[in-house]
C-alpha cells in the first residue's frame, strides 16, 4: 500500500513552546490529509482536515489557533501545536486518503508522541 | 453524522479460543468499512476492508469480517486466537463514493490473549 511518513516519532517540549509535526505522503499525492489525536487507551479522534492550498477544516471543539495546520504541497501537511501545555500531551496521527476507484482507503503515519513538561 | 459503536471494551481469551468483536455503524448512505489493529507501542495497521462485493471479507493474520447491511454491522472474527493477537482493535467507517472523507473510528476493543 501507499506510504505515509510522520516526523518526529516522539518529541518532548517545555510548556509554552511550539512543536511542529510533519506528515508526508511518499509515493502519492494527497490533496487532503487528516489529523487525529489519540489519548491513552482511547480511540482516534479526528481533529481536522487539511486541504492543500486552502484553510483546514477543524472539528468541533478543536482550537484552530492552537493547532495550526498548513498543507503547502500535495505531499506535505504540518501540524503545529502552539504554546503547548501538559494537557496537549498525546499521540498525534496523520492520515492521507488514496482514491481507489470510487472508494477511498486511508493510509496512516506512524504517529507522533508529544510530551509537554 | 457517522458514528461507530464497538460493544466490547475489553475481551480476555485463552489461546486457541475463537474471537468475535462487534462493530455497528450509523450512517445514512453507503459506506466503506475497515478494521485496524494497533499492537502495543506501534502504529495502526489495516487488518481488512470492505468496499463492495462479497460481504465476507478475509484479511491478514487469519482475520475475517462479515458485513451485514440489514444490521449495520461489520463484526470481526478469528477462529483461533494466538498470544500475539493481543492488541487494540478499531473498527472504522467512511462514506463511500466521496473522495477524501475521513475515517470515523469506534472506541476500540482491547484484546488480551493468555498463553
Amino acid at each position: 500500500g501507499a506510504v505515509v511518513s510522520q516526523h518526529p516519532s516522539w518529541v518532548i517540549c517545555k510548556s509554552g513552546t511550539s512543536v511542529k509535526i510533519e506528515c508526508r505522503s511518499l509515493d502519492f499525492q494527497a490533496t487532503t490529509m487528516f489529523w487525529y489525536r489519540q489519548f491513552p487507551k482511547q480511540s482516534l479522534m479526528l481533529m481536522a482536515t487539511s486541504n492543500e492550498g486552502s484553510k483546514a477544516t477543524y472539528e468541533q471543539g478543536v482550537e484552530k489557533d492552537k493547532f495550526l495546520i498548513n498543507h503547502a504541497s500535495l505531499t506535505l501537511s504540518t501540524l503545529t501545536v502552539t504554546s503547548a501545555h501538559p494537557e496537549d500531551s498525546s499521540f498525534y496521527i496523520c492520515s492521507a486518503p488514496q482514491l481507489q476507484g470510487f472508494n477511498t482507503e486511508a493510509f496512516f503515519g506512524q504517529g507522533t508522541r508529544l510530551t509537554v513538561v | 453524522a457517522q458514528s461507530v459503536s464497538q460493544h466490547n471494551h475489553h475481551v480476555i481469551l485463552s489461546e486457541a479460543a475463537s474471537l468475535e468483536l462487534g462493530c455497528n455503524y450509523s450512517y445514512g448512505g453507503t459506506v466503506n468499512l475497515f478494521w485496524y489493529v494497533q499492537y502495543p507501542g506501534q502504529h495502526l495497521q489495516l487488518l481488512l476492508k470492505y468496499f463492495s462485493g462479497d460481504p465476507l471479507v478475509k484479511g491478514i493474520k487469519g482475520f475475517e469480517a462479515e458485513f451485514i447491511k440489514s444490521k449495520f454491522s461489520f463484526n470481526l472474527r478469528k477462529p483461533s486466537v494466538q498470544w500475539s493477537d493481543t492488541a487494540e482493535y478499531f473498527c472504522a467507517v467512511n462514506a463511500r463514493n466521496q473522495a477524501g472523507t475521513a475515517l470515523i473510528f469506534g472506541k476500540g476493543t482491547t484484546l488480551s490473549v493468555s498463553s
Side-chain angles (χ1 to χ4, degrees), chain A residues 95-108:
Chain A
S95 167
Q98 186 184 48
L99 195 60
Q100 298 177 358
F102 291 109
N103 300 300
T104 300
E105 182 171 345
F107 295 92
F108 288 85

Side-chain angles (χ1 to χ4, degrees), chain B residues 25-36:
Chain B
Y25 68 93
S26 173
Y27 182 63
T30 49
V31 295
N32 299 319
L33 295 154
F34 305 83
W35 275 97
Y36 286 86

